[in-house]
């Protein structure tokens, strides 16, 4: 549940809180996010991550809550380009807090952690995502199989596959195939 530096990526929330954060993006929100992105990109070109953060802080009150998670993911990318790992993790955590509903937020946070070489933290985040969504979420399970393989944790991989026994085959076939390929690549097949 916690990262090495003590910050949390996934704070537990009540289901009613999760439902309250789910809003549909409309044309106004997309335009708002586009203007925000352009301002942050221009600021980053001028002064790096600190300038991008100042641009975010100047515009944060004007952003709808439905696009706040995307803004934090964008700031995480800016911080990553500046090699500012603590701020990357901070913005990933804020993105998950702002809008933990769509699987895409979890996958983007995991991708960023993976790019930083933080596979253990990526693993923890994916395991939390599976606790939240259940093992029937194919995208999270596929990514977790790949992370387990890269970490060499075949016991955890087998445990994940075992937990899929009660799921319908049409929902788990890709995960099972990826797990079998992982075993074969490891010389166990």
């Amino acid at each position: 549940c916690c990262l090495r530096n003590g910050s949390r990526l996934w704070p537990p929330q009540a289901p009613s809180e999760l439902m309250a954060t789910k809003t549909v993006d409309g044309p106004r929100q997309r335009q708002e996010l586009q203007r925000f992105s352009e301002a942050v990109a221009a600021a980053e070109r001028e002064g790096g991550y600190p300038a991008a953060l100042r641009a975010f802080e100047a515009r944060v009150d004007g952003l709808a809550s439905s696009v706040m998670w995307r803004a934090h993911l964008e700031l995480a990318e800016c911080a990553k380009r500046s090699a500012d790992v603590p701020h990357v993790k901070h913005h990933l955590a804020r993105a998950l807090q702002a809008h933990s509903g769509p699987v895409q937020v979890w996958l983007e946070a995991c991708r960023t952690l993976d790019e930083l070489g933080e596979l253990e933290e990526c693993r923890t985040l994916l395991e939390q995502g599976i606790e939240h969504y259940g093992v029937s979420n194919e995208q999270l399970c596929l990514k977790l199989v790949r992370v387990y393989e890269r970490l060499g944790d075949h016991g955890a991989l087998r445990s994940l596959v075992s937990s899929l026994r009660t799921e319908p085959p049409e929902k788990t076939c890709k995960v099972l195939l990826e797990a079998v390929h992982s075993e074969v690549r490891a010389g166990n097949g």
Side-chain angles (χ1 to χ4, degrees):
C1 77
C2 294
L3 299 176
R4 267 178 266 193
N5 67 1
S7 65
R8 294 178 59 92
L9 277 182
W10 168 241
Q13 294 179 326
S16 60
E17 292 177 70
L18 287 174
M19 294 307 290
T21 62
K22 292 181 181 180
T23 57
V24 177
D25 288 343
R28 188 180 67 74
Q29 285 89 3
R30 282 192 291 277
Q31 289 174 345
E32 182 181 332
L33 185 62
Q34 181 64 34
R35 285 191 299 273
F36 167 81
S37 296
E38 290 167 357
V40 167
E44 184 185 18
R45 282 190 300 276
E46 295 294 318
Y49 170 73
L53 184 58
R54 285 191 298 277
F56 167 77
E57 290 168 348
R59 289 168 177 75
V60 70
D61 293 334
L63 287 176
S65 62
S66 63
V67 297
M68 191 62 70
W69 65 276
R70 289 186 178 120
H72 279 291
L73 286 177
E74 191 165 326
L75 280 172
E77 286 296 317
C78 292
K80 184 177 74 173
R81 286 189 288 273
S82 294
D84 190 345
V85 176
H87 282 111
V88 171
K89 293 177 182 180
H90 167 77
H91 289 297
L92 293 177
R94 295 295 305 267
L96 285 167
Q97 289 170 352
H99 203 60
S100 61
V103 173
Q104 192 59 33
V105 179
W106 295 80
L107 293 171
E108 285 293 319
C110 182
R111 178 191 56 79
T112 302
L113 289 171
D114 187 2
E115 289 172 355
L116 291 171
E118 303 282 354
L119 277 180
E120 282 294 336
E121 292 179 19
C122 182
R123 170 192 183 150
T124 301
L125 180 63
L126 288 168
E127 289 170 344
Q128 291 169 351
I130 289 173
E131 284 177 22
H132 178 68
Y133 287 100
V135 292
S136 62
N137 188 287
E138 182 181 72
Q139 292 174 307
L140 291 175
C141 284
L142 273 173
K143 184 66 176 170
L144 187 56
V145 164
R146 292 175 185 135
V147 168
Y148 283 154
E149 180 181 13
R150 289 176 60 200
L151 289 171
D153 193 347
H154 296 287
L157 176 66
R158 292 178 191 122
S159 178
L160 174 65
V161 169
S162 175
S163 69
L164 297 173
R165 286 182 302 186
T166 60
E167 299 297 320
E170 61 273 6
K171 289 188 174 186
T172 62
C173 62
K174 289 180 185 177
V175 176
L176 294 173
L177 285 172
E178 187 65 29
V180 167
H181 288 147
S182 173
E183 289 285 353
V184 168
R185 286 188 290 266
N188 299 326

